[in-house]
C-alpha cells in the first residue's frame, strides 16, 4: 500500500531529510586520498546522533554501519572499514536518518583528488538523470514515467542502468511501496498523488547493467568491473512542482 503523508508527517520527514543530507555532506567532505571509509562512517554517525536522530542503516537487516560506502566498481551497499581511499577513486555514499519515526534517505558519488574525465562524466550523468526523472514526479503522472526518463537519458549516452536494485517509497519504513525502477517504458504503475514520498535513486554503470553481490552478502559490484555511480534524494509529490526533502546541496 502506498502511504499518503499528512502535513504534520511531512514536517517530520523534512527534518529527517535535512539530517540525512547533513550526514551525507559531512561524509562526502572527507572523501580524499588517505582517508579510511570508517572515518566517513564515523563522521556521518556523529551528525545524525547530534541532531537527535538515529542512523537508518545501522542494524537494518544486519547491516553493520551507518553509511553504505561503495568505491569505483562497487554499486551500492559497501561496508565501511579499514579500506583507504586512493587518488582517483570515486566513492558513492548512501546515508539515512530516522527522526521521530520517519526516514530520510539520500546518496551521491564523490571524487577523491583528481579523477578521470570518464569518471566525472559518469557522476554528472547519474546526477542529471535524477533531475530528468523528477521532471515527471508530478501529480497524475505514473511511476514508470520517472523510470523511463532516467533510463532513457543514461542509455542514450551509452551507460548501463542497474536493474536488480531500484528506488522505493519511504516514510515510517525505509522501504515502502511503490518500487521505482530506473528503466522501462512510460505509462505504467500507480499514478502519482500529492503526499507521496519517494526515494528516487539512479544507479548507473559505465559498462554493463549487470551486477553481482559479494560473499559479504551486502556489497554489490558491476559484473564487468566498470565504474558505477549513485545519486538519490527523497522527493515529495505535491499539487505542483516536486519538493526534494533531501539534497546534496550542489
Amino acid at each position: 500500500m502506498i502511504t499518503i503523508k499528512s502535513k504534520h508527517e511531512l514536517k517530520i520527514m523534512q527534518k529527517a531529510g535535512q539530517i540525512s543530507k547533513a550526514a551525507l555532506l559531512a561524509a562526502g567532505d572527507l572523501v580524499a586520498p588517505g582517508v579510511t571509509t570508517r572515518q566517513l562512517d564515523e563522521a556521518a554517525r556523529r551528525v545524525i546522533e547530534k541532531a537527535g536522530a538515529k542512523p537508518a542503516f545501522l542494524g537494518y537487516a544486519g547491516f553493520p554501519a551507518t553509511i553504505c560506502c561503495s568505491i569505483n566498481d562497487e554499486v551500492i551497499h559497501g561496508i565501511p572499514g579499514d579500506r583507504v581511499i586512493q587518488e582517483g577513486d570515486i566513492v558513492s555514499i548512501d546515508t539515512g536518518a530516522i527522526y521521530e519515526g520517519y526516514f530520510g534517505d539520500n546518496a551521491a558519488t564523490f571524487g577523491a583528488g583528481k579523477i578521470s574525465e570518464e569518471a566525472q562524466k559518469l557522476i554528472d550523468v547519474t546526477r542529471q538523470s535524477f533531475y530528468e526523472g523528477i521532471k515527471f514526479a508530478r501529480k497524475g503522472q505514473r511511476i514508470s514515467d520517472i523510470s523511463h526518463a532516467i533510463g532513457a537519458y543514461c542509455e542514450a549516452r551509452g551507460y548501463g542502468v542497474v536493474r536488480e536494485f531500484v528506488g522505493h517509497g519511504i516514510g515510517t519504513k525505509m522501504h515502502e511501496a511503490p518500487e521505482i525502477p530506473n528503466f522501462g517504458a512510460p505509462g505504467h504503475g500507480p499514478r502519482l498523488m500529492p503526499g507521496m514520498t519517494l526515494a528516487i535513486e539512479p544507479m548507473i554503470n559505465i559498462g554493463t547493467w549487470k551486477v553481482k553481490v559479494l560473499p559479504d552478502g551486502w556489497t554489490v559490484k558491476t559484473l564487468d568491473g566498470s565504474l558505477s555511480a549513485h545519486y538519490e534524494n527523497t522527493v515529495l509529490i505535491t499539487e505542483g512542482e516536486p519538493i526534494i526533502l533531501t539534497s546534496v546541496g550542489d
Side-chain angles (χ1 to χ4, degrees):
M1 182 178 71
I2 301 174
T3 59
I4 303 297
K5 280 71 173 184
S6 67
K7 288 183 179 179
H8 174 69
E9 289 177 303
L10 290 171
K11 285 183 180 179
I12 300 172
M13 284 197 69
Q14 187 166 38
K15 180 63 175 178
Q18 290 170 346
I19 296 168
S20 188
K21 169 189 173 180
L24 178 63
L25 292 177
D29 284 348
L30 289 180
V31 171
V35 175
T36 67
T37 55
R38 180 175 284 112
Q39 288 174 281
L40 307 185
D41 190 77
E42 290 169 346
R45 185 168 182 172
R46 284 194 297 270
V47 168
I48 292 169
E49 292 181 343
K50 185 177 180 180
K54 297 178 181 179
F57 304 162
L58 183 62
Y60 183 84
F63 190 76
T66 293
I67 68 171
C68 298
C69 188
S70 309
I71 299 178
N72 295 334
D73 62 339
E74 296 171 352
V75 182
I76 49 172
H77 301 164
I79 301 171
D82 295 330
R83 182 172 180 178
V84 177
I85 297 168
Q86 304 296 316
E87 179 81 20
D89 283 347
I90 61 171
V91 183
S92 295
I93 301 172
D94 194 350
T95 64
I98 309 169
Y99 182 75
E100 295 186 4
Y102 288 83
F103 285 76
D105 188 8
N106 50 191
T109 302
F110 302 86
K114 183 175 177 57
I115 65 174
S116 68
E117 290 184 9
E118 180 184 50
Q120 187 62 59
K121 184 179 177 183
L122 170 67
I123 292 171
D124 293 343
V125 167
T126 302
R127 180 183 183 277
Q128 185 58 36
S129 73
F130 166 85
Y131 288 98
E132 295 299 317
I134 66 167
K135 290 177 182 178
F136 297 88
R138 301 177 67 94
K139 177 182 177 181
Q141 299 287 151
R142 293 191 181 273
I143 287 291
S144 77
D145 296 337
I146 298 172
S147 306
H148 176 73
I150 292 170
Y153 181 83
C154 295
E155 289 173 349
R157 288 155 179 78
Y159 293 98
V161 180
V162 173
R163 285 160 166 69
E164 282 132 333
F165 298 89
V166 298
H168 50 91
I170 187 169
T172 56
K173 298 179 181 178
M174 185 157 60
H175 296 105
E176 296 185 349
E179 290 191 341
I180 310 165
N182 296 304
F183 61 94
H188 299 282
R191 287 198 182 276
L192 301 177
M193 297 175 57
M196 288 182 178
T197 46
L198 310 174
I200 300 170
E201 52 177 320
M203 293 157 271
I204 309 301
N205 306 336
I206 282 182
T208 181
W209 57 266
K210 296 179 181 180
V211 299
K212 61 182 178 182
V213 180
L214 297 189
D216 64 18
W218 285 105
T219 308
V220 178
K221 281 194 171 190
T222 58
L223 193 60
D224 60 2
S226 63
L227 295 178
S228 184
H230 186 195
Y231 190 89
E232 176 185 20
N233 280 304
T234 301
V235 176
L236 167 65
I237 306 302
T238 73
E239 291 287 348
E241 294 289 330
I243 295 174
I244 298 175
L245 298 178
T246 53
S247 167
V248 295
D250 57 356

